[in-house]
Amino acid sequence: MTNLDKLKIKIFADGAELDGILELYKNRYIAGFTTNPTLMNKSGIKDYEGFARKLLEHIPDRPFSFEVFSDEFDEMERQALKIASWGKNVYVKIPVTNTRRESSVNLVKKLADAGVQLNVTALMTLEQVSDISAALGNNVPSYISVFAGRIADTGRDPMPLMKRAVEILSPHNKQELIWASPRELLNIFHAEEIGCHIITVTHDILKKLSIVGKDLDEYSLDTVKMFRDDAVKAGFSL
Ligand code: E4P
């Protein structure tokens, strides 16, 4: 299937560039937004709260995930409650463990029970999915972000794991699985195929949405023209 209008999966944009995010907000295929400290650092953001609040002023009506960055659970909790207070559409990203490999499961349960919308992030195993799904329960809408692309980076096919993750979440109708860290546009269709609820896609990959379903003869010709134009621009001679 190569028709965006027929997709059931929701596409979220993953990024940290204000202009790019605001441009994508105009795109009807973008149902929500995510960011993370690595993307924010790459974009040169220094004022975390100022950046987030500016985005939320412009985008008050689609889910937006912002991540805590402490390595201590009590401080993560404080940050989570603060971030959650910035808007009704905010989801707080909690990493599945801290850097000492200690599970965030107790904090996740506490925050979910308190009604905080969470996006538990950086999961890569089914054991993590089961534990976090049980901790989240069904009190409040939540996301579980499994980093399918990073799993694929290790030479493993993420499809069977992602398929099983969908099944693990299925008893909880307020939990949605996010296919995180896609590596190519085709992953949107992979995620759709296994019934994943959401895929979060970087701005670079999203630029390719306009060529979904493009005629391959036309695309081949565009490619030939690109080589010819660039050779002319470079002034090559032999
Ligand atoms: C998701 O929310 C993450 O921000 C993102 O998918 C991370 O992807 P990466 O593996 O490209 O860092």
Side-chain angles (χ1 to χ4, degrees):
M1 191 229 290
T2 47
N3 185 340
L4 290 178
D5 289 309
K6 291 196 177 149
L7 288 177
K8 287 201 196 105
I9 195 165
K10 288 177 271 188
I11 301 175
F12 284 10
D14 193 31
E17 281 164 18
L18 184 72
D19 292 348
I21 293 169
L22 297 184
E23 196 52 41
L24 285 164
Y25 182 51
K26 296 183 204 151
N27 182 330
R28 69 191 175 92
Y29 293 115
I30 306 302
F33 297 86
T34 53
T35 189
N36 68 44
T38 300
L39 292 168
M40 288 170 72
N41 183 42
K42 271 190 200 148
S43 291
I45 302 231
K46 298 289 175 215
D47 175 6
Y48 188 116
E49 182 168 353
F51 175 71
R53 283 188 180 273
K54 187 180 276 186
L55 284 168
L56 292 167
E57 259 168 43
H58 292 278
I59 306 179
D61 53 359
R62 284 183 222 171
F64 213 129
S65 296
F66 294 99
E67 188 163 338
V68 298
F69 46 83
S70 175
D71 206 29
E72 307 304 326
F73 292 117
D74 51 356
E75 176 58 10
M76 273 192 218
E77 181 182 357
R78 191 192 68 79
Q79 291 179 352
L81 294 171
K82 183 167 189 172
I83 291 170
S85 75
W86 296 340
K88 284 195 170 65
N89 58 327
V90 170
Y91 282 68
V92 182
K93 277 176 131 179
I94 306 282
V96 64
T97 66
N98 63 10
T99 63
R100 298 185 296 278
R101 213 189 279 271
E102 294 162 341
S103 172
S104 305
V105 80
N106 291 336
L107 175 63
V108 166
K109 183 163 175 28
K110 192 172 181 189
L111 288 168
D113 288 348
V116 178
Q117 300 177 141
L118 298 177
N119 175 352
V120 186
T121 192
L123 284 78
M124 291 194 214
T125 71
L126 287 174
E127 194 187 346
Q128 290 175 330
V129 174
S130 297
D131 292 350
I132 294 298
S133 175
L136 283 168
N138 218 23
N139 182 37
V140 75
S142 59
Y143 304 141
I144 296 182
S145 289
V146 178
F147 279 47
R150 288 191 181 228
I151 294 170
D153 290 342
T154 71
R156 295 174 177 91
D157 178 2
M159 291 283 275
L161 186 148
M162 296 304 285
K163 204 171 177 182
R164 180 68 196 120
V166 171
E167 289 166 8
I168 293 170
L169 269 58
S170 63
H172 307 282
N173 61 9
K174 289 192 179 160
Q175 294 179 9
E176 292 181 283
L177 182 68
I178 296 187
W179 180 302
S181 79
R183 294 294 182 249
E184 57 179 341
L185 187 126
L186 186 62
N187 296 149
I188 296 174
F189 297 91
H190 292 147
E192 167 86 358
E193 191 185 320
I194 53 118
C196 191
H197 309 96
I198 297 164
I199 181 163
T200 187
V201 187
T202 55
H203 296 193
D204 273 2
I205 298 178
L206 287 172
K207 285 191 189 126
K208 295 183 183 171
L209 276 184
S210 60
I211 56 170
V212 167
K214 187 178 170 90
D215 178 87
L216 293 182
D217 281 317
E218 287 305 312
Y219 199 20
S220 168
L221 185 62
D222 288 351
T223 308
V224 171
K225 284 180 179 168
M226 176 189 77
F227 293 145
R228 168 70 187 149
D229 287 351
D230 284 326
V232 171
K233 268 189 224 153
F236 290 145
S237 66
L238 281 175

